[in-house]
Amino acid sequence: CSASRSSLMTRCYAQRVGIRGALSPFAMTGLNREETTIASMLKEQGNATCMVGKWHLGSHPEFYPTNSGCDEYLGIPYSNDMWPVGYDGIRLAEGYKSVYPELPLIHNDSAIYYFKDLKAQDSITGIYTRKAIDFIQQNHEHHFFLYLAHSMVHVPLGVDDRFRGSSEQGMYGDVMQEIDWSVGEIMKTLSDLGLDDKTLVIFTSDNGPWLNFGNHAGSAYPLREGKGNAWEGGVRVPCVMYYPSKIEPGTLVENLASTLDILPSIAA
């Protein structure tokens, strides 16, 4: 999670910026604030910049997005499974996960809320979506950059009651329904503000499905394996780009690309 996000944000291989694997809440390191990120590059060009969601590039305030080019930040500093609660709602009495601190919701550089149980995580997608829409509405009259990294569909899964039981694919399908709703609300906001034709929207993922969790993980079929594996199912992910004034609808690109390409593409 951390390695892939550092590459996305800096266009550098993770080893080049000293980020490996997935940083724990106790890690004393993070993304160096001197690194050029998509956000810092665009901020220098006069864009308003905001990060919403899962950061996972340092859990201490000096490593938060506000020190890597973002004017605003609302989200959790690491994975939503790094907390004292198990995946089934039972607080673990022993085992490595029991040492995790409570999961904070950070606004800019301080915690404003703590997710105490699985029910609390049902609200997480809605929180992110409302903040993303608010940022767009507040900054629609000038250029802006929004980086929205949903915590879902990472385990433990959480979904708003409006979407619970709404799919034929169980809890995972319900969570996907809410993610679809979130993307739709953001696209509707762009449309309502007359920005959809001139805004580049990129929808992708940082790795494949976490197959250890069975029907809570999705599938990369027909690709082999999933998250944590170097087979295609682990590293090959969907990518959809929407930019009507520049990209012809229905265009299919079969050339090899990666999230390393996003920063230089935006810069160009």
Side-chain angles (χ1 to χ4, degrees), residues 184-249:
E185 290 297 296
I186 291 167
M187 297 303 294
K188 181 178 183 298
T189 300
L190 293 174
S191 177
D192 290 347
L193 294 170
L195 301 176
D196 52 331
D197 189 56
K198 55 185 177 181
T199 301
L200 171 61
V201 180
I202 302 173
F203 182 94
T204 188
S205 180
D206 63 341
N207 51 52
W210 205 354
L211 299 179
N212 293 8
F213 290 92
N215 63 2
H216 275 215
S219 170
Y221 183 83
L223 306 179
R224 182 176 179 179
E225 284 291 343
K227 173 178 175 174
N229 194 287
W231 295 107
E232 277 199 322
V235 296
R236 184 175 173 180
V237 297
C239 181
V240 178
M241 296 192 183
Y242 177 89
Y243 196 7
S245 63
K246 299 287 187 180
I247 301 174
E248 184 71 23

Side-chain angles (χ1 to χ4, degrees), residues 87 153-157 169-172 210-211 213-218:
Y87 299 114
V153 290
H154 196 291
V155 292
L157 299 180
Q169 299 297 324
M171 181 68 162
Y172 187 89
W210 205 354
L211 299 179
F213 290 92
N215 63 2
H216 275 215

Side-chain angles (χ1 to χ4, degrees), residues 52-67:
V52 177
K54 175 186 173 183
W55 175 237
H56 216 171
L57 290 174
S59 57
H60 299 282
E62 59 263 39
F63 302 121
Y64 285 171
T66 48
N67 286 313

Side-chain angles (χ1 to χ4, degrees), residues 5 52-54 125 128-129 148-153 179 182-183:
R5 287 154 203 265
V52 177
K54 175 186 173 183
T125 299
Y128 293 170
T129 306
L148 169 58
H150 276 296
S151 293
M152 302 300 153
V153 290
I179 296 293
S182 173
V183 174

